[in-house]
Amino acid sequence: MKPVNILMNLICLLQIVWRSVLLGSCQAFGITVTSYCSTNYLSLGWYISVMSFFHFSEFVVTSVIRPQNLTSESFLLNHSKAYGIAALVSWVEYWTELWLFPGLKKSYWISGIGLFLCIGGEIVRKTAMLTAFHNFDHLIRTQREEHHQLVTGGIYSLCRHPSYVGWFYWSIGTQIMLCNPLCSVAYLIASWKFFNERVFEEEVTLLNFFGKEYVAYQSKVPTGLPFIHGYNIN
């Protein structure tokens, strides 16, 4: 192996290591906040743990289903600039409202609903990834791989895009869990718009890959996302 390749592999490994350490530390911090800090910060501890687990589990599951594609990007920590901005805005809202309206953050039953959505969304998404296995990818494919098959069984018999369904409800759940009223609405709208465009774009490629087979699948199974119907060839 050339020295340049060795160096690149080492850099990639270091990027994976520091992200893993960061997420592990955040997970430990979230558990500590939940267990030992004032109940005023209960939802914050849940939030930190949920966020850490989501991103780390994305990497772990990808390592199982598509090890050849595994990189530091598989954590989805830098998913997009919009994703980072959305997270930052939610933190600003949380701390601002905790300062001005501390009682708002003590609605534990509301936080519990958010936690339920996050856990449910996480289960749905990871089930979808494991069911699709090597047919799953974080990116929309523009060319069909030799082994690429249309998955219609398991959780895919209930909805066409279960990984997006899980992520959609997980995303909204994080803001309900923090009792962030503004970001709860903003995340709902932004997530819906993102997945509406994403499903439309992805189904164009799936129709090109699978033709009538995918048309028949579309006619029987909904997307699973509210008011999102995908690309209709008719």
Side-chain angles (χ1 to χ4, degrees):
M1 185 179 291
K2 296 181 179 179
V4 174
N5 292 335
I6 295 175
L7 179 61
M8 292 299 294
N9 289 338
L10 180 60
I11 292 174
C12 182
L13 179 61
L14 289 174
Q15 289 177 336
I16 290 173
V17 169
W18 81 256
R19 284 169 170 81
S20 299
V21 171
L22 173 65
L23 290 173
S25 299
C26 288
Q27 183 70 57
F29 181 66
I31 293 173
T32 300
V33 171
T34 300
S35 303
Y36 300 107
C37 291
S38 167
T39 54
N40 293 340
Y41 303 105
L42 180 64
S43 62
L44 178 63
W46 289 352
Y47 171 82
I48 295 171
S49 295
V50 163
M51 289 288 287
S52 303
F53 184 84
F54 173 82
H55 287 289
F56 189 75
S57 62
E58 285 291 310
F59 180 85
V60 171
V61 174
T62 302
S63 73
V64 173
I65 63 175
R66 291 183 69 83
Q68 71 277 14
N69 287 15
L70 193 67
T71 69
S72 59
E73 302 295 319
S74 301
F75 288 102
L76 297 186
L77 281 170
N78 52 345
H79 175 263
S80 66
K81 183 181 291 186
Y83 184 78
I85 292 173
L88 180 61
V89 170
S90 75
W91 302 340
V92 171
E93 180 182 353
Y94 174 82
W95 287 110
T96 301
E97 291 173 350
L98 182 64
W99 176 48
L100 296 175
F101 315 106
L104 179 64
K105 303 305 179 182
K106 295 181 180 179
S107 301
Y108 304 124
W109 66 274
I110 293 178
S111 295
I113 293 173
L115 180 62
F116 175 79
L117 286 174
C118 288
I119 294 174
E122 183 77 67
I123 291 172
V124 169
R125 179 168 172 81
K126 296 312 186 290
T127 299
M129 293 174 69
L130 290 169
T131 301
F133 215 76
H134 58 255
N135 299 292
F136 181 89
D137 203 327
H138 282 132
L139 302 175
I140 296 177
R141 302 179 196 176
T142 56
Q143 293 183 333
R144 183 178 178 180
E145 297 177 355
E146 184 177 353
H147 64 264
H148 194 183
Q149 298 176 328
L150 178 61
V151 180
T152 59
I155 196 169
Y156 286 86
S157 65
L158 303 176
C159 55
R160 300 200 302 270
H161 299 279
S163 68
Y164 295 159
V165 171
W167 199 351
F168 176 78
Y169 287 107
W170 175 90
S171 175
I172 299 168
T174 61
Q175 299 312 300
I176 296 176
M177 184 165 50
L178 288 175
C179 295
N180 281 354
L182 299 179
C183 278
S184 292
V185 175
Y187 270 52
L188 172 62
I189 295 171
S191 296
W192 187 91
K193 290 181 66 176
F194 172 79
F195 286 116
N196 185 44
E197 294 172 2
R198 178 88 172 194
V199 167
F200 185 91
E201 182 180 352
E202 183 169 314
E203 292 206 330
V204 170
T205 64
L206 290 171
L207 284 164
N208 287 332
F209 292 167
F210 302 107
K212 293 181 179 179
E213 186 181 3
Y214 194 77
V215 173
Y217 179 54
Q218 275 185 314
S219 67
K220 298 175 183 177
V221 182
T223 64
L225 292 156
F227 307 107
I228 294 179
H229 305 291
Y231 179 80
N232 190 333
I233 199 169
N234 297 320

